[in-house]
Structure formats: structure tokens, C-alpha cells
Amino acid sequence: MTPARAILASLRLSDSLLSTRLYTAPSLLTQVTHFSPFLMEQSRSFYYFNSDQKVYFSSKPSSLVELLLANDWSTELESELQNSNPILTHETVIFALKKLDKDPDKAWGFFNWACERNGFKPSSPSYSMMLRILVNKDSMKNFWIILRKMKEQGFYIDEETYLTISAIFKKEKMNSDVVAFKHFFDRMVKENAMDTVVKNVAIVISEKDWSNDVEKELSGMGIVLTDNFVIRVLKELRNYPRKALQFFHWVGKCEGYDYNTIIYNAIMRVLGRHDSIEEFWSVLEEMKNAGHYMDIDTYIKISRQFQKSKMMEDAVKLYEFVMDGPFKPSVQDCSILLRSISSSENPDLDLVSRVAKKFEATGNSLSKAVYDGIHRSLTSAGKFDEAINIMKAMKDAGYEPDNITYSQFVFGLCKARRLEEACEVLDEMEAHGCIPDTKTWTILIQGHCSASQIDKALMCFAKMMEKNCDVDADVLDVLINAFLSQKRIDGAYTLLIEMVNKAHIRPWQATYKLLIEKLLEERKLEEALNLLRLMKQQNHPPYPEPYVLYISKFGTVEDATDFFKALSVKEYPSTSAYLHVFQSFFKEGRHSEAKDLLYKCPHHIRKHPKISELFGSAKSV
């Protein structure tokens, strides 16, 4: 029996699989004494290129991708690709580019070869994918070449692609490219006459119920139906999926226009949501019957949307559908899907079984990531005996359980409030040579905190430190939040101070902010100011708002003076800080305190025009 089938048996959902008797074990890992799934090596064919071996492959996308991944781009590889006469459809090129998205140079070479030597006609989606691949400091020359080609050929950058690329530029701090790209996009919109027509068509469709009158109005608009135009209208109608489908059907009836893969994929992206899911599956079946395939980029986008919307049944159904075609999702896509299923409150193990079964049925052997995905679902669902058997199957398949695997087990036990057993798992890890890392300890501590067992969480924390495991801001945040949830504010404050001074931890800014707010609610200004000083020392941005509100309502002039000293890294804070406090005092009607504070301010503050104006206005009032 293959490892995947052993897993299906563990889930007790196998249909035609060989019967497997699962050992029912206690939750502790060392007490698993028997589980022996039969392993069967699966033969797979791989193709590699070298100077002594001629490579042959069919038009199957997997064969093309294997060749591309195994070799550097070269004239020899180009010749070999040319001699093989591959059939480069839209789906095939998108599939190959997706596999090459971490290698901009090779993706660039392949795309140019496909367009210039093989007659591939690029589309708006394929150009958009190339742009996303080339957003890299080392490939900006090619990025701008692609942009110019798009414009010359009448293609248009949609707003979604524009925002995605702009966000990447900003993240990489490529400020000059942000400005240049915005200028290019704005000019493209302004110069593209089609843009107005697209928006007018979308307005007509979105503002009216579909009827013969709408069809007549569209027919009278002089529309030239191209793939680019149809795609853009569908994107404009993305918030009106049923109306987008009506436009799609109308386009299909127009003389001289035939659906193709690109248009089918465009409408699928629009329909892949909760309020049009029936239409989605209907059009997908129509697409299949017409001999077209969902491209891998479309699959990933829709699958992520299903998972985000908790439409797990549809996500698994789509996974099964695409895995039956030639453009199969990656192992990573499978793992992400399993992780999404396991993250629900009560994971549906039938969905886990279906994903694992389809993964194996398409010729794959289970990877560590897939094992972990199944194991995560089992532990989250409280199926610990089955999870133990999966860990044994992993070992038999050559994958030693690691911190990821054990952390999932600890998380599941904590979720089930089996905290003592969760603690014992860490001892078992060490016995098997796997040292618990910071993440594993944090999960254990979080489990105790969630069960309101704060003191035991602290004992785990102390043990973590005794083991010389790195304590970080995450675990500190978990403990601080737990203390605050039980209104143990003094304990939270003391813990943070100790960890900063003795363990040299730099807490998250959010941790500081929450604790400051809670301290001020309890009128513990001195402690809150101490935290403000620590934030300043650790180069966190200042957080003056709650102090100003507190001082203006309850504080004294001396409190305000102490706040100013704690706030600034210089001798005095900015004028705006003083102005903010004065305004708050006036708002609370505490004019005398504001005047007393003014007398204690440095000369340049007392004479500042805005301060003088504020006190002049207050005097006149």
C-alpha cells in the first residue's frame, strides 16, 4: 500500500483501497508500536538536456517545464525546443511562465522564444504575468521593453495589475520606478481610446437589467469585439458577475466572434465567487466540453478566493477538476489547500481525503509538505491516533518529523485542552533528537494562555528560557495579552520590563501600545511613561495620543512636563507636541493648567506664533 493510501485508510474514508488495520495508540508519540504501510516506488520519467543526449518530449506541458527547469537558457536549448515542435497554447505558456516566475531571465528568454520563433501570440494575461515576473531590480530593462511592446500592440494594463506592480515597487523602495510606472499608466489610459468605450459599455450593462433594448444599445455602439476588449469589459463588470455572464453570452452570439481559452479564463475569474458559484460551475463544464482548459494562473487566483471565502468544498472540487487536466497545480498549491482546510474550526476530513487521493491518483508521491498538510488537519480535528499513524507513515516514507510536524501536534492537543500531553510532546521531541524551537514553545504557551492557565504558561516560558531557546517578541506578546485578559496589569508590566532589561527583547510596537493603554486606564502614568522611554530607546515611533488624552483629563502640569521629557530623543519635543497638549487642556476647560504649563515651557515654545495664537484665541473666548 502506498503512503497516500495508508493516509486515506487513517482517515477511514478509503473506498477501493486495501484494508489497513490502524493501531489505536495513546496520544504520546513513544507509545506507537505498530504501523507498517507497504511502500511502493512509483516510476516517473524525467527528461534532462546535455550535450550528449537528445531530448524528446510531447506537447505535454509537464515535459516542456521539466526541460526548461533542468537547463540554463542557451542557444542549444533554443534549438532543442525548436526541433521538438511544441504546441504553445495560451495555457501552456502561462503554465511554463508560472514555473519560471522565480527566474526572470529564463522566463524572459522563453517568452521571447515563444513569441518570435514559435509564432505564439501574446495576450493581455500573458503580458501581465511577464510584468509581474520582471518586477525585479535586476530585470527592469526587460520590464520596460515588455511595457512598450504591450502599448505598441494595443494591450492595456488593467488596474489590478497596475496596483500589484506598484505595491512591489514600493515594497522594494524603487521610488523612481513607482513614479515612472504611474506616469506610463496614466498616459496609457489617456491615450487609449478604447478605455472610454469599455467604461461606457460597462455602465450600460451594470445600470440596467439585461433585455433586448440593452442588446440593441450595445449593437449600436460600434463595438469592435477583440479578446482584449472583451477581457477589459469583463474586468469592469467584476462586481456584477451575473451581468458579466450575460455580456459573455451576448458576445458569443455576435457574428464573427468565437470563444477561446483566454476569454473563458477571463469569465471564470469573474464568476469565481459565492454569489455566482452555480454559474461558475456551469461555465466551467461548458469550457471543458469546448476543449479549453483553465490556465494555472486563473486556477491559483480562484482557488485562493474560494479558500479566503471559506468555500472549501468548491476549492477542493476545483482542485480535483484541474488535476484531471494537463495543467496541474504544484505540490505547494496542494499544501496551501490542505492548510486552509485544517485552519477551519472543525476541519472536514473528507475534503482532506479527496485532496490526498487526487494527488496520488495523478502519479505523485506524497511530499513532506503534503504529509504535514494532512497531519495538520487531523490534529486540528482532534484525530490524534490517526495523526500518530501519519507521523509513522512519514518516517517510513523517509521524512523525519520535524518542528513543523510536532508543533501541529502540540497545537491540536492544546486546542483539545490536553495540555499535559502537549507538554510531554516537547520531551518526546528532544528524546528523538528534534529540539523544540521558538515557534513550538510559543504554541505551547499560547495553548495554556487560551485555557486561562497563565501560571502554567509562565512555567513553560521559564523552561523555554532554561533550554536556551531564543525568546522573541511573539511569545512575549502572547504572555502580555494573556495577563491583560485577566486584568493582571502589574504582572504584564513587570514581565515586559524584565524581558527588555534582562533578555534584551525588543517587544512589538503593538504590545507596547496595548499595555500603555491599559496602564493609563488604571491611572498608572509613571509606568506608562517608563514604557514610552523604552519605546524611544528601541527606536519605535512615538505613541503620544493616549498620554495627551489622559493628562488633559486627569494629569497635572508636572505630569505634562514629565511626558514631554519622555517623548523626545532631543532636549525638547516638537512644537506640535506642545500644541497638541495645550489644545487638549483647552478642550477640557482647564485653562489655568494650560497657562501654568506655558510658563514652564522653553522660550522658543512660548514665543512660537501658533502657541501665541492659541493662547490669544483662548483669552478672547
Side-chain angles (χ1 to χ4, degrees), residues 29-49:
L29 305 180
T30 52
Q31 296 179 355
V32 178
T33 60
H34 175 74
F35 184 74
S36 303
F38 295 99
L39 300 179
M40 182 169 65
E41 200 67 38
Q42 295 185 1
S43 59
R44 298 184 66 192
S45 299
F46 295 92
Y47 301 83
Y48 299 95
F49 172 78

Side-chain angles (χ1 to χ4, degrees), residues 340-351:
S340 293
I341 297 171
S342 69
S343 66
S344 58
E345 186 64 29
N346 296 299
D348 188 335
L349 298 184
D350 179 56
L351 297 180

Side-chain angles (χ1 to χ4, degrees), residues 131-243:
L131 288 177
R132 296 199 302 271
I133 293 172
L134 294 172
V135 181
N136 183 294
K137 290 182 179 179
D138 297 327
S139 53
M140 287 310 300
K141 178 181 178 182
N142 295 335
F143 175 88
W144 290 107
I145 291 174
I146 287 289
L147 272 180
R148 285 195 293 273
K149 284 185 177 180
M150 286 184 71
K151 184 178 179 183
E152 290 168 2
Q153 296 175 21
F155 290 105
Y156 178 83
I157 305 171
D158 62 85
E159 187 175 2
E160 181 184 4
T161 301
Y162 168 72
L163 293 175
T164 299
I165 292 173
S166 295
I168 296 173
F169 279 146
K170 291 174 183 176
K171 182 180 178 181
E172 297 298 322
K173 298 182 179 180
M174 300 166 66
N175 298 328
S176 59
D177 291 294
V178 172
V179 175
F181 186 53
K182 183 180 186 306
H183 179 69
F184 186 95
F185 179 75
D186 291 343
R187 191 171 73 245
M188 177 182 281
V189 172
K190 184 177 180 180
E191 295 176 358
N192 197 307
M194 191 194 301
D195 187 61
T196 302
V197 180
V198 167
K199 292 188 183 307
N200 289 339
V201 168
I203 289 171
V204 168
I205 297 170
S206 62
E207 293 184 349
K208 301 177 182 178
D209 292 334
W210 195 270
S211 63
N212 289 333
D213 291 338
V214 170
E215 292 188 6
K216 289 179 182 178
E217 187 171 353
L218 292 176
S219 299
M221 294 177 72
I223 299 170
V224 177
L225 291 178
T226 63
D227 290 348
N228 195 24
F229 179 83
V230 174
I231 289 172
R232 289 178 57 189
V233 173
L234 291 175
K235 286 185 176 180
E236 285 290 324
L237 295 171
R238 59 189 175 276
N239 293 324
Y240 308 92
R242 288 192 172 89
K243 292 189 174 185

Side-chain angles (χ1 to χ4, degrees), residues 423-480:
C423 292
E424 291 171 0
V425 170
L426 273 73
D427 296 330
E428 294 299 330
M429 289 177 66
E430 290 197 47
H432 287 87
C434 182
I435 306 301
D437 62 10
T438 304
K439 181 67 174 177
T440 307
W441 279 106
T442 301
I443 290 171
L444 179 65
I445 292 167
Q446 174 75 69
H448 282 81
C449 291
S450 297
S452 298
Q453 296 191 16
I454 310 301
D455 292 332
K456 287 188 176 180
L458 282 174
M459 291 173 63
C460 293
F461 183 62
K463 189 174 180 180
M464 174 185 179
M465 296 184 70
E466 289 172 7
K467 297 284 186 180
N468 293 319
C469 185
D470 291 334
V471 177
D472 63 8
D474 279 331
V475 68
L476 179 60
D477 187 68
V478 166
L479 286 167
I480 295 296

